[in-house]
Amino acid sequence: MAKVARAARVASRQRTEALTASKTIQTAETGELYLIDAKSLTITLPDPQEGAYFTFIVGSKHTLHTANTLVTIKTGGATLEGSGTYMKNGDTAIRAIHSTAATHDTIKVTAVTGGGSDKLFPGSKFEFWSDGTNWYVHAAIFVGGDALIAF
């Protein structure tokens, strides 16, 4: 028998997919959890749809060292708004990034030097939600070396 006022839930388990190559996500894949397990990926979100959401986490099998672009997540043209925090390995400062223009449609993590220390650490996370018109992002990222995060 159904319980009254029970909170809605996605399911007992989220579907996960390991990304080892660039991907264009389909609308029907909403709610999925993606593990970023390769370097230089470009991920394209579907057109905005009210209630759609995606989570991307850097997985423990990542091979993100020595790439100039570590990961790019773009909307395909819709506005991307939001913010995030990031911390560099060996540093105690927490930095913030924020989308400041209606023309932003991409969030990208790049390596300044392309060296072995420029990387994303496992557990770094990007979350996206849509209101049907725009995409919104929140990121919590831990990087090494001279990696930069920008809209």
Side-chain angles (χ1 to χ4, degrees):
M1 182 160 95
K3 300 227 182 212
V4 176
R6 178 184 291 185
R9 62 187 172 100
V10 174
S12 57
R13 293 186 179 171
Q14 269 188 307
R15 183 181 178 285
T16 61
E17 180 179 337
L19 297 180
T20 57
S22 293
K23 179 175 177 77
T24 298
I25 298 173
Q26 304 303 310
T27 301
E29 295 176 292
T30 186
E32 292 189 9
L33 170 65
Y34 293 95
L35 299 176
I36 299 172
D37 283 344
K39 63 183 177 181
S40 302
L41 296 179
T42 298
I43 301 162
T44 305
L45 299 174
D47 290 336
Q49 182 181 13
E50 186 175 351
Y53 64 98
F54 301 97
T55 302
F56 301 90
I57 296 177
V58 176
S60 62
K61 296 179 184 177
H62 71 87
T63 56
L64 299 173
H65 301 277
T66 66
N68 288 330
T69 300
L70 303 177
V71 67
T72 301
I73 303 174
K74 60 184 184 173
T75 66
T79 298
L80 176 61
E81 297 185 36
S83 61
T85 56
Y86 70 99
M87 186 174 200
K88 291 187 175 189
N89 189 27
D91 196 351
T92 58
I94 296 175
R95 296 165 175 86
I97 57 170
H98 183 71
S99 173
T100 57
T103 56
H104 287 157
D105 63 358
T106 302
I107 186 167
K108 184 184 285 192
V109 182
T110 57
V112 174
T113 64
S117 64
D118 292 354
K119 66 178 186 173
L120 278 164
F121 282 91
S124 293
K125 181 171 148 181
F126 303 85
E127 294 181 287
F128 294 85
W129 301 271
S130 176
D131 63 1
T133 302
N134 300 311
W135 280 103
Y136 300 92
V137 61
H138 179 265
I141 305 164
F142 188 57
V143 295
D146 291 318
L148 296 174
I149 301 96
F151 283 93

